[in-house]
Amino acid sequence: LRSGSSQTAPSRGPYIAVITNRSTTLVIRGFMLFSIGVFLALVLNLLQVQRNVTLFPPDVISSIFSSAWWVPPCCGTASAIIGLLYPCIDCRLGEPHKFKREWSSVMRCVAVFVGINHASAKVDFANNVQLSLTLAALSIGLWWTFDRSRSGFGLGVVIALLATLSTQLLVYNGVFQYTSPDFLYIRSWLPCIFFAGVITMGNIGRQLALVRKLYNAELKCHRFINVLHTCMYTFIPTRAFY
């Protein structure tokens, strides 16, 4: 008798099928990135408002966080797009990001980004030029410490420029304003904050994508082992020893 002839590879349960579905994981990652973006927007924008760096009209303030209601959803949407775009660009360019791929590094990146934003609001410099140069150096240092990829730097610059242009248009139309603007209608250090934020959300998005890839790789390994065991039990007869 073949002791293992009746054994078959275990089928995936409904939970595993849902988690490994590409569309479902994309939605889950997007929701997580959106939530992180909303949370950071509430915290960091509150800091800017309390220090009177950003001024909203009185009729726009509509929450306990002393911020405009549309700011967190916009930041959350942008965070989701950036976090999903980074791993996609890495895949298209054939340059998988392998530098410091662990959650502890991602959390340190978030902490540095919050520190850069905190410095822009609370650290007093002699003039805006010194502040802008300092934040630019910190932002590039953030990229060099936690990213170092050409695609990450390029996307960070492009998205920061687009975000700066959008902010210029919002301020020009009177949606809100900055105190002491020195770069047209905004502060000159704002592109540095955008760049650091893009790098941060890109790292979070890459890490979330890596978790999915590691899980799929582990699942494929288990499937291969199950198939191998099934073949062994099917084609190699069991010998009886007396």
Side-chain angles (χ1 to χ4, degrees):
L1 295 176
R2 295 175 182 177
S3 61
S5 59
S6 61
Q7 294 185 8
T8 58
S11 59
R12 291 189 303 171
Y15 176 76
I16 300 298
V18 169
I19 293 300
T20 54
N21 182 269
R22 183 179 180 85
S23 301
T24 304
T25 55
L26 199 65
V27 172
I28 294 175
R29 286 161 50 201
F31 177 76
M32 294 179 66
L33 290 165
F34 177 84
S35 302
I36 295 172
V38 169
F39 175 76
L40 289 177
L42 289 172
V43 174
L44 300 180
N45 195 55
L46 174 62
L47 179 63
Q48 299 285 344
V49 172
Q50 286 182 341
R51 293 287 295 181
N52 292 326
V53 176
T54 306
L55 300 178
F56 291 96
D59 55 340
V60 175
I61 304 301
S62 58
S63 72
I64 59 174
F65 297 101
S66 298
S67 177
W69 66 268
W70 49 267
V71 172
C74 289
C75 293
T77 302
S79 299
I81 294 174
I82 293 169
L84 295 176
L85 184 62
Y86 260 71
C88 180
I89 295 297
D90 291 340
C91 182
R92 293 291 183 181
L93 295 178
E95 298 178 354
H97 186 257
K98 299 180 180 179
F99 183 71
K100 291 189 176 181
R101 301 303 300 271
E102 62 272 347
W103 279 111
S104 60
S105 176
V106 173
M107 296 306 297
R108 288 195 297 269
C109 182
V110 174
V112 173
F113 169 62
V114 173
I116 292 175
N117 198 289
H118 184 79
S120 69
K122 287 198 171 184
V123 178
D124 295 326
F125 284 81
N127 52 61
N128 285 328
V129 175
Q130 292 183 3
L131 176 59
S132 300
L133 293 176
T134 301
L135 294 182
L138 291 175
S139 300
I140 295 176
L142 175 72
W143 166 78
W144 180 256
T145 304
F146 300 104
D147 193 320
R148 296 191 186 182
S149 65
R150 293 175 297 176
S151 59
F153 185 84
L155 278 175
V157 171
V158 171
I159 297 176
L161 292 177
L162 293 176
T164 302
L165 178 61
S166 301
T167 306
Q168 293 274 18
L169 294 175
L170 290 175
V171 176
Y172 176 77
N173 289 300
V175 178
F176 65 97
Q177 60 180 337
Y178 284 91
T179 56
S180 305
D182 59 326
F183 180 52
L184 297 180
Y185 302 101
I186 63 174
R187 303 290 286 270
S188 58
W189 45 258
L190 191 60
C192 304
I193 300 297
F194 285 143
F195 178 81
V198 171
I199 298 300
T200 301
M201 295 310 304
N203 278 339
I204 297 175
R206 281 168 167 167
Q207 192 65 26
L208 291 175
L210 179 64
V211 170
R212 174 182 175 272
K213 291 179 180 179
L214 291 176
Y215 181 83
N216 287 342
E218 182 180 358
L219 185 62
K220 290 179 180 178
C221 182
H222 283 298
R223 289 178 186 170
F224 175 77
I225 294 175
N226 289 333
V227 171
L228 185 62
H229 285 173
T230 302
C231 293
M232 291 177 62
Y233 283 124
T234 302
F235 297 105
I236 300 178
T238 303
R239 296 182 179 180
F241 294 93
Y242 297 96

